[in-house]
């Protein structure tokens, strides 16, 4: 025993359901050392289902607010008498604002907790919706909508939190894919509410109405439990401060946590030699793929009508089909990722998606050919994100499981700006729409799949933090979490 460790902790094994007393301590978020050292608790199916539903709803209403702004931007521009260029500029500044606000989510996850981050991001989405209805000009709108970066980052919070709650379940990726499918659900709700309510109320009220369900989700989220992994991580930090380094290491080993550089800042850790390449490649993948999302998902209707001759009257059909394809894509890639490998699933999915979009762009200008291929392309463009988010959370050590994924995640809006800008520049040179969309969008999709080759290989059959020896990382820097 180290002389700095006044009272060594003794571990014990746990098997079967939690005793009521232990369960109450875990529910409080501050279990005693005696309970903590029995090992990670086993969660009931009811608990996992309830937690998943709350996270799903939190994501749905975060997406609803995020998408609603783009949907109602033409109406907002009419109210403030903006030109198209002014509206576009406002949207760009909003995107930049969300980038900077999103930076706070990673440290919040790693230092304050997974559950508080979930509540905070959901509050941010509710606050953004309510305040948007009160905006009186461009500057106010930009400042308010920048807060939507919290709602945008809610999917990162979900992936980190649920990764640790689901533990070693072999179906954990498929389970998460249902939660992640909140994106197409939220997008469809935003479009449906806008279409149904705009004839009767001003756009401001549609934002205000979105506040109330988000507030309900906030109260539901407050009733959730903190993840056992973060509770153990927090306790190791306390033990180190008390001078009980050996006890901190024993506890970390019990929960498969790596705490070797936990005293350093999160940003410094993710760019240390063992994680640097992984962080850079993940960030590049998000940036490049969001160029494809901007071109084919956000501007998809424009590409199909101006570039492929599809009637604008088919816009509603395109919206429904593409979101249905995205929903099925999430489930399919979540399922395949569990059985094959999430990293491989992401790579193959995005490369196939790039190929499908290329065939669609340069194939016949026929709605019967274009729309099915467009839907298939969206299937492979959006679907891999169900595997991607869960892969990111299990590929970083618990001590930077928020900062690492969030650093990559925030590159998405940057890619969207680059994709839109590149598309505009190429079109201004006289290049036709299919070729411009191929360069600005499809090439990014191909690239995003290829750069995943530089990311860590996670051994999903053993624990969350394992990596193969041929990857340029320090194998000792890995960890896993059993929940």
């Amino acid at each position: 025993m180290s002389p700095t460790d006044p009272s060594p902790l003794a571990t014990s094994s746990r098997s079967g359901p939690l005793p009521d007393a232990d369960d109450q301590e875990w529910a409080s978020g501050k279990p005693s050392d005696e309970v903590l050292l029995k090992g990670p608790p086993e969660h009931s199916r009811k608990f996992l289902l309830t937690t998943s539903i709350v996270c799903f709803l939190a994501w749905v209403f975060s997406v609803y607010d995020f998408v609603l702004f783009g949907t109602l931007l033409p109406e907002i521009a009419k109210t403030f008498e903006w030109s198209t260029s002014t509206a576009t500029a406002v949207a760009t500044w909003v995107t930049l604002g969300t980038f900077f606000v999103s930076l706070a989510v990673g440290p919040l996850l790693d230092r304050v907790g997974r559950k508080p981050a979930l509540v905070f991001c959901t509050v941010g989405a509710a606050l953004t919706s309510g305040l948007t209805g009160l905006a009186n000009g461009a500057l106010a709108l930009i400042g308010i909508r920048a807060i939507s970066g919290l709602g945008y980052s809610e999917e990162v919070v979900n992936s980190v939190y649920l990764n640790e709650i689901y533990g070693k379940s072999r179906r954990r990726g498929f389970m998460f894919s249902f939660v992640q499918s909140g994106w197409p659900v939220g997008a469809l709700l935003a479009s449906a509410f806008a279409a149904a309510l705009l004839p009767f109320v001003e756009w401001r009220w549609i934002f205000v109405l979105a506040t109330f369900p988000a507030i309900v989700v906030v109260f539901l989220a407050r009733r959730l439990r903190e993840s056992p992994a973060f509770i153990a991580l927090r306790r190791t930090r306390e033990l180190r401060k008390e001078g009980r380094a050996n006890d901190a290491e024993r506890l970390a080993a019990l929960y498969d946590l790596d705490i070797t550089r936990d005293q350093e800042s999160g940003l410094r850790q993710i760019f240390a030699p063992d994680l640097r390449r992984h962080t850079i490649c993940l960030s590049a993948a998000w940036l490049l793929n969001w160029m494809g999302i901007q071109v084919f998902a956000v501007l998809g209707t424009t590409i199909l009508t101006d570039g492929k001759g599809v009637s604008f009257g088919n816009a509603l059909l395109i919206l429904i089909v593409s979101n249905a394809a995205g929903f099925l894509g999430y489930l399919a890639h979540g399922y395949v990722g569990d059985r094959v490998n999430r990293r491989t699933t992401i790579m193959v999915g995005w490369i196939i998606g790039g190929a499908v979009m290329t065939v669609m762009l340069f194939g016949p200008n026929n709605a019967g050919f274009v729309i099915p291929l467009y839907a298939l392309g969206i299937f492979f463009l959006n679907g891999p994100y169900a595997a991607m988010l869960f892969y990111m959370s299990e590929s970083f050590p618990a001590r930077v499981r928020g900062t690492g994924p969030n650093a990559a995640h925030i590159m998405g809006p940057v890619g969207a700006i680059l994709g839109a800008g590149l598309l505009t520049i190429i079109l201004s040179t006289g290049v036709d729409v299919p070729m411009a969309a191929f360069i600005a969008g499809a090439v990014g999709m191909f690239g995003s799949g290829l750069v995943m080759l530089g990311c860590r290989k996670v051994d999903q059959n053993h624990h969350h933090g394992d990596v193969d020896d041929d990857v340029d990382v320090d194998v000792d820097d890995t960890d896993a979490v059993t929940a």
Side-chain angles (χ1 to χ4, degrees):
M1 180 180 74
S2 167
T4 61
D5 293 348
S7 55
L9 302 178
T11 60
S12 60
S13 60
R14 181 197 303 282
S15 62
L18 287 173
D20 289 341
D22 289 6
D23 188 58
Q24 290 174 7
E25 289 197 30
W26 279 109
S28 72
K30 295 182 178 180
S32 64
D33 286 344
E34 180 184 357
V35 171
L36 196 59
L37 289 164
K38 292 179 182 178
E42 295 182 10
H43 294 309
S44 67
R45 289 187 177 182
K46 180 181 178 181
F47 171 83
L48 295 176
L49 178 61
T50 302
T51 303
S52 298
I53 290 174
V54 173
C55 290
F56 170 80
L57 293 174
W59 182 224
V60 165
F61 291 110
S62 294
V63 171
Y64 177 93
D65 170 74
F66 194 76
V67 171
L68 194 62
F69 175 67
T71 303
L72 294 179
L73 186 58
E75 295 297 320
I76 297 172
K78 288 180 184 178
T79 298
F80 295 119
E81 299 181 346
W82 292 339
S83 64
T84 301
S85 61
T86 300
T88 303
V90 168
T92 301
W93 282 107
V94 167
T95 302
L96 288 173
T98 62
F99 171 85
F100 289 107
V101 171
S102 298
L103 290 172
V105 175
L108 180 67
L109 274 164
D110 290 333
R111 292 294 164 179
V112 180
R114 318 317 195 193
K115 174 186 167 182
L118 176 61
V119 174
F120 187 69
C121 287
T122 309
V123 168
L127 191 64
T128 307
S129 294
L131 292 178
T132 299
L134 303 176
N136 60 1
L139 289 178
L141 192 65
I142 290 169
I144 291 167
R145 293 308 306 175
I147 306 173
S148 67
L150 297 177
Y152 167 69
S153 295
E154 204 280 326
E155 63 178 341
V156 174
V157 178
N158 277 351
S159 68
V160 172
Y161 178 59
L162 293 177
N163 175 279
E164 297 177 351
I165 291 295
Y166 291 162
K168 293 182 179 180
S169 169
R170 291 187 177 275
R171 296 182 297 169
R172 58 187 182 273
F174 187 56
M175 292 159 63
F176 178 75
S177 69
F178 280 95
V179 177
Q180 185 60 22
S181 67
W183 176 275
V185 174
L188 281 174
L189 282 176
S191 300
F193 269 79
L197 297 178
L198 264 181
F200 307 102
V201 299
E202 191 185 10
W203 60 265
R204 297 178 185 275
W205 288 104
I206 302 177
F207 279 104
V208 172
L209 288 173
T211 304
F212 298 104
I215 291 174
V216 172
V217 176
V218 169
F219 283 103
L220 292 174
R222 290 188 63 189
R223 298 175 63 87
L224 297 179
R225 300 184 180 189
E226 182 57 273
S227 81
F230 183 79
I231 292 174
L233 181 63
R234 182 178 61 200
R235 182 57 180 146
T236 64
R237 292 168 178 164
E238 294 170 352
L239 290 169
R240 279 183 159 182
K241 288 181 179 179
E242 296 168 7
R244 300 165 64 182
N246 286 353
D247 283 342
E249 291 173 4
R250 291 190 195 98
L251 182 60
L254 182 62
Y255 285 80
D256 291 319
L257 302 173
D258 166 39
I259 58 173
T260 52
R261 282 189 295 276
D262 194 36
Q263 297 95 329
E264 300 175 6
S265 70
L267 196 61
R268 185 174 179 180
Q269 291 181 60
I270 64 173
F271 285 104
D274 59 312
L275 292 173
R276 183 186 301 132
R277 190 178 78 179
H278 182 57
T279 301
I280 292 172
C281 287
L282 276 178
S283 300
W286 276 85
L287 186 147
L288 290 169
N289 197 260
W290 265 70
M291 293 176 69
I293 285 181
Q294 182 69 17
V295 171
F296 294 116
V298 178
L299 301 175
T301 302
T302 301
I303 298 299
L304 296 182
T305 54
D306 294 351
K308 299 301 297 179
V310 176
S311 168
F312 191 78
N314 288 323
L316 180 60
L317 173 63
I318 294 168
L319 177 69
I320 295 173
V321 168
S322 63
N323 278 286
F327 178 86
L328 294 174
Y330 285 129
L331 301 186
H333 286 84
Y335 179 87
V336 173
D338 279 339
R339 282 151 181 77
V340 180
N341 177 278
R342 274 179 266 283
R343 176 174 169 269
T344 302
T345 300
I346 297 162
M347 286 190 294
V348 173
W350 280 342
I351 291 172
I352 291 176
V356 171
M357 288 301 191
T358 300
V359 173
M360 183 272 294
L361 287 171
F362 297 110
N365 290 353
N366 179 289
F369 174 83
V370 171
I371 293 178
L373 274 183
Y374 174 73
L376 185 62
I378 293 295
F379 177 93
F380 286 111
L381 173 61
N382 290 353
Y385 279 101
M388 178 60 148
L389 283 149
F390 209 75
Y391 162 77
M392 289 200 302
S393 65
E394 66 186 0
S395 67
F396 282 94
R399 54 187 165 80
V400 287
R401 190 163 283 149
T403 302
N406 195 60
H409 184 256
I410 60 176
M411 296 307 295
V414 177
I417 294 174
L418 290 177
L422 183 59
L423 182 69
T424 301
I425 292 171
I426 295 172
L427 288 174
S428 67
T429 65
V431 175
D432 63 17
V433 173
M435 179 57 73
F438 169 74
I439 297 171
V443 170
M445 292 176 66
F446 283 120
S448 62
L450 293 175
V451 296
M452 287 297 296
L453 287 168
C455 297
R456 307 175 93 182
K457 294 180 181 178
V458 177
D459 185 350
Q460 298 175 188
N461 294 324
H462 291 87
H463 56 72
H464 299 174
D466 273 346
V467 292
D468 290 348
D469 294 336
D470 63 342
V471 183
D472 183 22
V473 296
D474 179 359
V475 178
D476 290 336
D477 186 53
T478 62
D479 69 278
V481 178
T482 309

